[in-house]
Amino acid sequence: VVALTPIRASRFAYALGNGTIGVYDRSSRVWRVKSKHSVMSISSFDLDGDGIPEVISGWSNGKFEVRNDRNGEVIYRDHFTSPVSAIQKADYRMDGRTEVICCSLDGQVRGYLPAEQELQTNQIDNTIEEDTLRELNQRKQELLFELKNYEENMRKARDGQAEAGVTPQNTRASCVLEMNVEKRCLDLVVSTNNDTVVRCVIVFAEQLFPTESHLVYPRTLSNTVRVPLAPPKDIACEMLIK
């Protein structure tokens, strides 16, 4: 745990060294999100003017985020050209209004006043819409690229080309853990039930690798790939395998 900040009543926000931030209500976790970047500072402040404080975070990539304390939804985002160094709350302008002050490593200082009622839809809602449109457009491009590859593979298959790359319909992939006595580790064995080769294995797991993911490209293509797992200590973790 690298930072804690109270929000309201028994609710508080936390930040971890692995890039995770979240909210607890007493001993119950409300939500959490994880980033590949490090959390530099967190705070809480009612920035959207609804009477309920939000979770404010500053990141090592210069990202400044405001999240809903109930579900973690991003309601405002800004970006600095260097890592965020601190987030404070003060009456910086000496006009009786407390604002959020964010400082970056290269000396940038920005203030954020609570949004007035008429500005909430213009500023915060527009930010949400822009982020949603950007994510949808990115997903659209990914789907179009996949569709193009499928169409090309089907065309090659109809032409009788051996390297068409079409996976048989009955293909099943299995994942098992086996003890590797020689290397003193566990092997994650990913294999298929036919001659379909495994070209790549991606494993996502916290605290199991130096980073949160591990990518394996086998030198020799076959229907079986072994991924050695050697955690530095006994830990319980969940693995997502692709």
Side-chain angles (χ1 to χ4, degrees), residues 9 27 30 45 76 84 89 91 96 99 111 140 149 151-152 157-158 169 173 184-185 194 197 201 217 229:
S27 60
V30 181
F45 190 74
Y76 181 76
V84 172
K89 296 175 289 187
D91 181 10
E99 60 186 302
K140 175 185 175 182
N149 286 338
E151 291 175 345
E152 181 66 16
R158 286 194 299 267
Q169 293 184 355
R184 304 181 66 181
C185 68
N194 50 32
V197 299
V201 176
Y217 276 107
L229 305 176

Side-chain angles (χ1 to χ4, degrees), residues 61-131:
N61 65 335
K63 183 171 58 177
F64 173 87
E65 283 186 337
V66 181
R67 292 180 177 270
N68 189 304
D69 80 310
R70 294 180 292 273
N71 52 27
E73 179 184 1
V74 177
I75 61 176
Y76 181 76
R77 181 180 287 123
D78 199 359
H79 200 278
F80 290 79
T81 56
S82 65
V84 172
S85 59
I87 298 175
Q88 300 292 334
K89 296 175 289 187
D91 181 10
Y92 181 74
R93 306 184 186 188
M94 304 294 289
D95 59 1
R97 294 186 297 174
T98 301
E99 60 186 302
V100 174
I101 303 170
C102 185
C103 306
S104 69
L105 197 62
D106 64 1
Q108 284 184 296
V109 179
R110 298 178 188 174
Y112 304 87
L113 284 169
E116 299 178 2
Q117 188 66 33
E118 62 271 16
L119 294 179
Q120 290 182 29
T121 55
N122 294 335
Q123 184 177 8
I124 298 176
D125 291 346
N126 285 348
T127 301
I128 299 174
E129 292 177 1
E130 291 175 0
D131 291 342

Side-chain angles (χ1 to χ4, degrees), residues 14 16 18 20-24 29-34 67 71-72 206 238:
Y14 69 96
L16 303 181
N18 64 357
T20 299
I21 64 170
V23 169
Y24 267 83
R29 187 174 66 204
V30 181
W31 59 265
R32 69 172 179 178
V33 295
K34 185 178 180 182
R67 292 180 177 270
N71 52 27
E206 297 181 9
E238 295 181 0

Side-chain angles (χ1 to χ4, degrees), residues 78-223:
D78 199 359
H79 200 278
F80 290 79
T81 56
S82 65
V84 172
S85 59
I87 298 175
Q88 300 292 334
K89 296 175 289 187
D91 181 10
Y92 181 74
R93 306 184 186 188
M94 304 294 289
D95 59 1
R97 294 186 297 174
T98 301
E99 60 186 302
V100 174
I101 303 170
C102 185
C103 306
S104 69
L105 197 62
D106 64 1
Q108 284 184 296
V109 179
R110 298 178 188 174
Y112 304 87
L113 284 169
E116 299 178 2
Q117 188 66 33
E118 62 271 16
L119 294 179
Q120 290 182 29
T121 55
N122 294 335
Q123 184 177 8
I124 298 176
D125 291 346
N126 285 348
T127 301
I128 299 174
E129 292 177 1
E130 291 175 0
D131 291 342
T132 302
L133 287 174
R134 189 180 302 107
E135 292 174 0
L136 289 175
N137 185 63
Q138 181 179 356
R139 183 56 179 160
K140 175 185 175 182
Q141 298 302 322
E142 292 173 354
L143 291 174
L144 288 174
F145 181 75
E146 291 180 9
L147 180 61
K148 182 179 179 180
N149 286 338
Y150 288 144
E151 291 175 345
E152 181 66 16
N153 287 338
M154 293 303 297
R155 184 188 65 78
K156 291 181 179 180
R158 286 194 299 267
D159 294 342
Q161 298 184 31
E163 299 296 331
V166 179
T167 302
Q169 293 184 355
N170 64 341
T171 301
R172 297 290 182 272
S174 63
C175 300
V176 297
L177 290 173
E178 294 183 359
M179 181 70 72
N180 190 325
V181 179
E182 181 181 354
K183 295 183 178 180
R184 304 181 66 181
C185 68
L186 284 175
D187 281 348
L188 172 66
V189 183
V190 182
S191 60
T192 61
N193 62 335
N194 50 32
D195 293 332
T196 302
V197 299
V198 181
R199 295 181 177 272
C200 175
V201 176
I202 307 176
V203 183
F204 299 90
E206 297 181 9
Q207 300 179 346
L208 197 56
F209 308 106
T211 58
E212 63 181 17
S213 62
H214 185 59
L215 180 66
V216 177
Y217 276 107
R219 294 182 179 179
T220 303
L221 294 180
S222 69
N223 68 335

Side-chain angles (χ1 to χ4, degrees), residues 38-55:
S38 301
V39 187
M40 307 302 291
S41 181
I42 61 172
S43 185
S44 63
F45 190 74
D46 179 18
L47 202 56
D48 63 0
D50 64 352
I52 301 176
E54 288 78 46
V55 179

